[in-house]
């Protein structure tokens, strides 16, 4: 027996190595402050909705193939309330097993063998998994600090613009914490229309914006639904990462393609989880406001502590990540290893997000404020930034 060629083409899981290093350090009895993860640390609000749903025998039957229509209506209601975007629950919503599933599946739905897709660098590593499994080609476009970690569409080679059929974006951004504005998304719609490229906006951190600025949905821009879709997950907004529930909204052709694939792969999500997702999307959003305020407090305390030790860092505008420059003399992986070995602090090396991630490390603001500040103090004692 042997693996298929598709499985053989899958990229190495870079962060499996990081997890192994952290677990080894913990097994040695060391007090590791793990800032390398992207897993929300807070409990799920309103989790009793799941308990109540599970007690209903009807929720233990098969769900409709394409999910509960009530959940699609809840997603439509959510988008209208949060972003003033009209979504047709009949034709413009696809229920997902978490946004990651949709992001990995979409190349299967829209591309043929050898077709080209464009991906951000640095970017979420699992975008590459979709390209490999669908047997398609990809090129990356750089996200650079001098351009506020936004792509420069004019710098993309003409031959790539002409050949590409699919492009992924992600704001608020993982790993950089950058956000996008209306002008950028309008430019994106114009770029996609001119070059006949389908846009997929990964909106995983769509609830998490700081300094009083709400993250912008790609679909708020006129004409966006003609050129693409947006993926939303409940993982970050409601701390439901392990529940694996999300949805795609937007262009009806893309939505139908996802639904058709799901018809052949799944019988949709456990209905009790869908019922809980309805509760999350339609209830008041005070729990979300509280969560964002907590992340902003953590961000402020962490960034302030970094500046105090002489680490010249920028403050993220959104997400729950900070993107920090590596001091001279280190690669991102060498610096991450050094912090783990000498300070008992784990961070994610930027190279794991693409070659343009070199020179940075990613920190997750997923420990309480005291632990975040303690991590910086430990790093400060190493004397690197003096």
């Amino acid at each position: 027996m042997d693996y298929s060629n598709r499985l053989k083409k899958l990229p190495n899981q870079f962060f499996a190595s990081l997890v192994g290093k952290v677990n080894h350090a913990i097994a040695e009895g060391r007090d590791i402050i793990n800032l390398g993860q992207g897993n929300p640390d807070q409990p799920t609000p309103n989790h009793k909705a799941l308990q109540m749903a599970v007690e209903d025998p009807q929720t233990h039957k098969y769900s409709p193939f394409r999910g509960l229509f009530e959940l699609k209506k809840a997603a439509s209601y959510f988008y209208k309330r949060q972003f003033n975007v009209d979504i047709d629950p009949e034709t413009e919503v696809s229920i997902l097993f978490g946004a990651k599933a949709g992001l990995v599946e979409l190349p299967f739905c829209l591309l043929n063998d050898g077709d080209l897709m464009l991906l951000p660098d640095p970017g979420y590593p699992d975008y590459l998994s979709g390209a490999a499994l669908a047997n398609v080609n990809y090129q990356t476009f750089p996200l650079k600090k001098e351009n506020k970690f936004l792509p420069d569409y004019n710098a993309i080679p003409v031959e790539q613009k002409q050949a590409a059929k699919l492009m992924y974006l992600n704001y608020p951004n993982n790993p950089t914490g950058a956000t996008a504005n209306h002008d950028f998304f309008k430019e994106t719609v114009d770029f996609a229309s001119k070059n006949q490229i389908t846009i997929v906006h990964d909106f995983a951190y769509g609830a998490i914006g700081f300094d009083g600025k709400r993250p912008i949905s790609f679909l708020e821009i006129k004409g966006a639904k003609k050129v693409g879709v947006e993926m939303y997950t409940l993982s970050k907004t409601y701390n439901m990462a392990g529940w694996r529930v999300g949805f795609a909204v937007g262009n009806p052709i893309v939505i139908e393609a996802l639904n058709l694939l799901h018809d052949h792969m799944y019988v949709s999500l456990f209905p009790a989880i869908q019922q809980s997702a309805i509760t999350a999307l339609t209830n008041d959003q005070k729990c979300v406001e509280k969560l964002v305020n907590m992340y902003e407090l953590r961000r402020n305390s962490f960034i302030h502590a970094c500046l105090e030790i002489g680490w010249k860092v920028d403050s993220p505008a959104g997400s729950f990540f900070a993107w920090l420059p590596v001091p001279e003399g280190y690669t991102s992986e060498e610096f991450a290893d050094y912090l783990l070995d000498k300070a008992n602090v784990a961070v994610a090396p930027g190279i794991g997000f693409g070659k343009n991630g070199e020179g940075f490390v990613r920190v997750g603001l997923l420990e309480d404020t005291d632990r975040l500040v303690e991590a910086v103090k430990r790093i400060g004692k190493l004397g690197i930034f003096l």
Side-chain angles (χ1 to χ4, degrees):
M1 294 183 185
D2 196 8
Y3 290 161
S4 70
N5 290 333
R6 278 185 167 82
L7 286 188
K8 290 178 181 178
K9 287 176 62 177
L10 281 171
N12 291 329
Q13 183 50 267
F14 182 88
F15 292 97
S17 172
L18 174 63
V19 171
K21 291 176 182 178
V22 173
N23 288 341
H24 179 73
I26 292 172
E28 291 179 337
R30 294 156 57 188
D31 176 25
I32 303 298
I33 302 178
N34 187 0
L35 307 182
Q37 61 185 350
N39 201 3
D41 65 308
Q42 296 297 296
T44 305
N46 300 319
H47 60 274
K48 290 184 178 179
L50 176 64
Q51 296 172 349
M52 294 175 63
V54 167
E55 291 175 358
D56 180 358
Q58 294 299 314
T59 66
H60 294 263
K61 296 183 177 182
Y62 289 126
S63 168
F65 267 77
R66 299 186 175 191
L68 298 179
F69 186 63
E70 291 83 357
L71 179 51
K72 295 183 179 184
K73 289 195 295 184
S76 175
Y77 170 80
F78 175 83
Y79 257 71
K80 182 64 176 178
R81 181 183 61 188
Q82 299 300 116
F83 309 112
N84 197 30
V85 172
D86 292 313
I87 297 293
D88 182 351
E90 291 274 4
T91 61
E92 296 179 344
V93 183
S94 179
I95 305 304
L96 304 174
F97 285 69
K100 174 181 173 177
L103 292 164
V104 173
E105 291 167 348
L106 206 50
F108 284 96
C109 300
L110 301 180
L111 304 183
N112 296 311
D113 287 6
D115 282 347
L116 180 67
M117 61 189 298
L118 300 177
L119 299 174
D121 180 358
Y124 179 47
D126 286 338
Y127 298 156
L128 303 178
S129 304
L133 289 171
N135 196 32
V136 300
N137 298 320
Y138 71 89
Q139 294 287 342
T140 61
F141 50 89
L143 305 182
K144 298 181 177 180
K145 180 180 178 180
E146 55 264 33
N147 201 40
K148 300 180 180 179
F149 298 109
L150 299 170
D152 179 358
Y153 292 134
N154 293 323
I156 297 176
V158 173
E159 60 272 19
Q160 291 183 19
K161 296 177 186 178
Q162 293 174 343
K165 295 185 177 181
L166 188 62
M167 181 180 196
Y168 281 20
L169 297 170
N170 166 221
Y171 295 98
N173 184 257
N174 174 17
T176 70
T179 56
N181 59 24
H182 279 90
D183 289 342
F184 169 74
F185 280 139
K186 184 179 184 305
E187 182 185 2
T188 299
V189 171
D190 293 342
F191 171 81
S193 299
K194 179 180 178 181
N195 295 285
Q196 297 185 308
I197 297 174
T198 299
I199 300 296
V200 180
H201 183 228
D202 176 1
F203 205 28
Y205 304 91
I208 308 174
F210 303 133
D211 305 313
K213 296 180 180 179
R214 174 185 62 81
I216 295 167
S217 165
F218 170 64
L219 298 182
E220 292 181 47
I221 308 305
K222 183 178 180 181
K225 279 198 283 187
K226 292 182 179 180
V227 300
V229 295
E230 192 160 74
M231 303 282 188
Y232 200 93
T233 174
L234 279 69
S235 294
K236 282 74 178 181
T237 306
Y238 305 105
N239 298 321
M240 295 170 67
W243 299 46
R244 310 316 304 140
V245 56
F247 55 88
V249 287
N251 184 276
I253 295 174
V254 179
I255 294 300
E256 177 58 23
L258 281 167
N259 285 336
L260 181 59
L261 181 66
H262 294 165
D263 285 347
H264 291 270
M265 293 184 69
Y266 315 117
V267 188
S268 196
L269 294 166
F270 179 30
I273 287 180
Q274 293 189 63
Q275 293 284 4
S276 302
I278 292 168
T279 299
L281 293 168
T282 58
N283 273 11
D284 74 63
Q285 301 297 290
K286 290 181 181 178
C287 62
V288 181
E289 294 173 13
K290 182 179 178 182
L291 183 70
V292 173
N293 289 338
M294 181 199 71
Y295 284 137
E296 184 161 359
L297 177 62
R298 289 180 177 183
R299 178 203 67 163
N300 294 344
S301 298
F302 178 80
I303 295 298
H304 178 72
C306 287
L307 296 174
E308 280 199 324
I309 68 168
W311 199 351
K312 296 179 180 179
V313 301
D314 294 321
S315 190
S319 81
F320 49 50
F321 296 118
W323 190 236
L324 310 178
V326 170
E328 290 186 13
Y330 297 89
T331 67
S332 62
E333 192 166 10
E334 287 170 347
F335 186 58
D337 287 343
Y338 182 68
L339 295 187
L340 182 60
D341 291 342
K342 302 300 183 182
N344 288 330
V345 174
V347 298
I351 191 64
F353 302 92
K355 67 178 182 180
N356 286 290
E358 187 54 80
F360 295 88
V361 292
R362 191 194 72 178
V363 162
L365 303 172
L366 301 169
E367 292 275 358
D368 65 38
T369 301
D370 290 343
R371 290 284 278 179
L372 289 169
V373 172
E374 169 63 22
V376 179
K377 288 181 178 178
R378 292 182 185 183
I379 295 170
K381 290 177 181 178
L382 300 176
I384 302 170
F385 301 102
L386 295 177

